[in-house]
Amino acid sequence: MTGGPPGGGMFLERLSPADGALPGELLTELTRLYASNREFHALSGDFPDPDDVRPEQVAAALADELAHPDVEVLLARSGGRVVGIVITLARHPDPADPDPWIGLLMVDADVHGQGFGRRIARSVEDGFRAAGRNAVRLAVLEDNLRGFAFWTSLGYQVIDHREDRQLGRPCAVLRKELSAPPA
């Protein structure tokens, strides 16, 4: 699900670590991106200390994601640097759930408000649409008001409230129908 430079020179590329390891320079960039989102990590509890996100923690989190065959990790690049990351899930573990999921979309805090999150989301939606998918889902932590406002502004609607599968955190499940692209 990669795209070329439309939309201000941003493009998505699949993260494919060589021999399961991330190159040091890329891991440094990703650690900076994750660390720049302190507020989110304080809410999520994904890292023990949101003020001290370490490269080995980021590498372990990404390795856990990449261990799943239906997961794709995409990096958003602009101006030669990583400005965002998105993790998608082609199939939910619940067989009654037919939709793909966006598991995480994170943009470097230094470029928040510049439209990268919207462009990344649109690119992911376009990729799912091109793959014949009719809708996409995601979960937002109940106390992540900024995340909730972002996703609902993109047309996602709440369809459920439940705990997440990993850490039991209360979440709102959102869904968006993927209509055919304009001609």
Side-chain angles (χ1 to χ4, degrees), residues 8-58:
M10 186 204 79
F11 65 95
L12 295 180
E13 68 181 12
R14 179 177 288 128
L15 178 62
S16 301
D19 301 322
L22 295 171
E25 185 177 315
L26 178 58
L27 182 56
T28 299
E29 269 191 287
L30 290 169
T31 301
R32 199 186 88 58
L33 181 145
Y34 274 73
S36 77
N37 285 277
R38 185 220 174 275
E39 183 180 322
F40 171 74
H41 295 303
L43 288 172
S44 73
D46 289 337
F47 294 97
D49 182 354
D51 292 314
D52 188 24
V53 176
R54 300 183 170 272
E56 59 272 13
Q57 295 169 322
V58 172

Side-chain angles (χ1 to χ4, degrees), residues 139-160:
V140 176
L141 296 170
E142 291 282 357
D143 54 358
N144 184 355
L145 301 180
R146 288 182 66 197
F148 187 79
F150 171 77
W151 290 109
T152 56
S153 76
L154 295 178
Y156 286 78
Q157 298 179 340
V158 176
I159 61 166
D160 196 8

Side-chain angles (χ1 to χ4, degrees), residues 81-172:
R81 72 181 192 108
V82 174
V83 295
I85 187 168
V86 62
I87 300 173
T88 65
L89 180 63
R91 285 169 196 50
H92 192 273
D94 180 351
D97 181 347
D99 299 325
W101 281 66
I102 296 173
L104 175 73
L105 189 157
M106 188 180 324
V107 173
D108 188 316
D110 290 345
V111 295
H112 280 181
Q114 296 182 25
F116 287 108
R118 289 180 180 282
R119 284 184 269 174
I120 294 167
R122 208 171 303 124
S123 293
V124 169
E125 291 167 3
D126 289 346
F128 284 138
R129 191 179 291 108
R133 306 306 289 269
N134 300 327
V136 61
R137 294 184 192 201
L138 54 90
V140 176
L141 296 170
E142 291 282 357
D143 54 358
N144 184 355
L145 301 180
R146 288 182 66 197
F148 187 79
F150 171 77
W151 290 109
T152 56
S153 76
L154 295 178
Y156 286 78
Q157 298 179 340
V158 176
I159 61 166
D160 196 8
H161 292 272
R162 59 182 171 208
E163 293 183 346
D164 77 355
R165 295 175 70 90
Q166 287 183 311
L167 299 175
R169 302 167 291 196
C171 293

